[in-house]
Amino acid sequence: MQSTEQNTPVEIPAKKTFSQRALSPTERFEMMLPHRLELAAVLHHLQRLPSAEQLSQMTLLDIGMPNPVMSEVLRKRGGNWCTVARSPAFAQEAADYLGSDVACLGGDGTIPYENGVFDVVIVALDILVAVSDQLAFIKECNRVLKSSGMLIISAQAKRALSIGDFIRNRRWNNPHSPYAATYTETSLYSTIKNGFDIQDVNYFSRFWVDLVRIREAKLVEQGHTSDEIALRLRTLYRIAHALDRFDLLQRGHVVILSARRRRWSARVMPVLGDGRTLSEAVLFRPPA
């Protein structure tokens, strides 16, 4: 399956100066380039949806967006949206910003909605590795989707000979740590295959931006606030994005895919000599 990186972030008007007051979500969104890149990649996958007239009749859910501005932009696309936040603090900020109730994701990945409610579920970057049981969480996404619903999900990509992966593993020394866990296309497929059929795979966040994102993860781990992180990294992200413009041939370091819901059942496929199933051989390139 062809995969192309979405590397143009969603732009918003920049503000010229900032005081020591708390930053607004809009100001943080302007500073945090990865959030804008992620939103642009999600919007690319939403192009698979029907016309605006049909979209207005759909019910959609975004899970774990790191900034409520992202949820607001998605709402402007059309349709009836709900938001599930990654923590009570994120839920409160999103509720205040959006002016509507925002639920909170359960620690075990429970989604607080009834069966078959949504036409689309969008799962933000880092949510898959944050839940205690990934398979149970994917099954929850399957449960709340309608029979023909679509899942859009992002995850840190595992790259052969990746400097970023090497730094992550040295820093956190645990491949299952939320800060170090990575996915190949095949492993991400294996995570969702019992309930979804993959339709499209893309990438965003190239080399230099990925390195700054590692610095961001360290600051989060050290307990710095979202405002402090945004102020510290805004210039680094601008420089990284400029440097990445000279690296147009490589894939991004975050994989995002869209997949259609199927009835949940264990999927067992014939295995080829190199360890891939037939579906993987059709969908993805041979492993490096």
Side-chain angles (χ1 to χ4, degrees):
M1 178 177 294
Q2 181 180 6
S3 60
T4 46
E5 178 188 356
Q6 300 300 306
N7 199 53
T8 303
V10 174
E11 298 288 351
I12 61 173
K15 297 187 180 297
K16 298 185 180 299
T17 60
F18 298 96
S19 66
Q20 294 303 309
R21 62 177 171 75
L23 299 177
S24 69
T26 302
E27 290 166 342
R28 285 202 312 275
F29 181 68
E30 173 199 333
M31 296 177 182
M32 296 299 289
L33 175 67
H35 299 170
R36 290 162 31 223
L37 291 173
E38 181 176 358
L39 178 59
V42 169
L43 291 172
H44 169 78
H45 279 265
L46 284 176
Q47 292 175 2
R48 283 185 169 275
L49 295 179
S51 64
E53 293 77 15
Q54 292 172 298
L55 181 60
S56 66
Q57 305 300 316
M58 289 186 169
T59 303
L60 308 93
L61 173 67
D62 63 271
I63 300 176
M65 292 299 172
N67 191 307
V69 172
M70 301 167 74
S71 298
E72 179 187 43
V73 174
L74 292 174
R75 281 160 165 72
K76 291 179 179 178
R77 177 83 162 72
N80 305 302
W81 285 85
C82 296
T83 293
V84 168
R86 60 181 70 194
S87 72
F90 278 92
Q92 185 60 59
E93 180 183 59
D96 292 342
Y97 183 83
L98 298 170
S100 60
D101 293 337
V102 173
C104 194
L105 187 67
D108 57 353
T110 302
I111 301 173
Y113 286 98
E114 300 296 326
N115 297 348
V117 174
F118 299 103
D119 297 282
V120 179
V121 169
I122 299 170
V123 178
L125 178 62
D126 296 333
I127 295 302
L128 185 59
V129 295
V131 297
S132 58
D133 188 331
Q134 296 181 9
L135 184 62
F137 172 67
I138 294 298
K139 195 170 185 178
E140 277 287 277
C141 293
N142 180 278
R143 178 185 65 80
V144 300
L145 277 167
K146 296 177 182 178
S147 59
S148 60
M150 181 169 75
L151 173 70
I152 300 174
I153 188 168
S154 302
Q156 184 68 37
K158 183 176 180 63
R159 301 284 302 275
L161 303 177
S162 166
I163 294 176
D165 287 358
F166 175 78
I167 296 173
R168 287 184 178 90
N169 292 331
R170 283 289 298 264
R171 167 71 181 181
W172 289 286
N173 197 29
N174 180 358
H176 301 294
S177 164
Y179 299 108
T182 56
Y183 293 82
T184 63
E185 291 173 335
T186 299
S187 63
L188 188 55
Y189 166 77
S190 296
T191 303
I192 71 169
K193 66 181 181 181
N194 288 341
F196 295 93
D197 294 316
I198 294 176
Q199 292 190 310
D200 196 10
V201 181
N202 303 100
Y203 290 83
F204 63 94
S205 186
R206 290 191 180 126
F207 175 77
W208 292 105
V209 170
D210 187 60
L211 290 186
V212 181
R213 286 181 54 242
I214 294 173
R215 175 59 180 161
E216 179 185 341
K218 292 179 182 178
L219 293 175
V220 171
E221 185 184 39
Q222 293 166 2
H224 292 277
T225 67
S226 297
D227 285 5
E228 291 170 341
I229 293 170
L231 289 166
R232 286 191 182 201
L233 298 183
R234 58 176 170 174
T235 301
L236 282 178
Y237 273 129
R238 287 173 184 166
I239 295 171
H241 187 49
L243 291 172
D244 279 339
R245 292 181 184 276
F246 297 97
D247 182 26
L248 300 178
L249 299 180
Q250 291 192 22
R251 299 182 308 177
H253 289 252
V254 178
V255 57
I256 179 170
L257 61 81
S258 55
R260 282 291 175 190
R261 182 191 183 277
R262 61 188 290 271
R263 185 163 111 20
W264 189 272
S265 63
R267 180 179 288 191
V268 180
M269 298 288 184
V271 178
L272 301 178
D274 59 6
R276 292 176 297 152
T277 66
L278 291 177
S279 292
E280 291 165 351
V282 172
L283 284 168
F284 306 129
R285 294 175 294 279

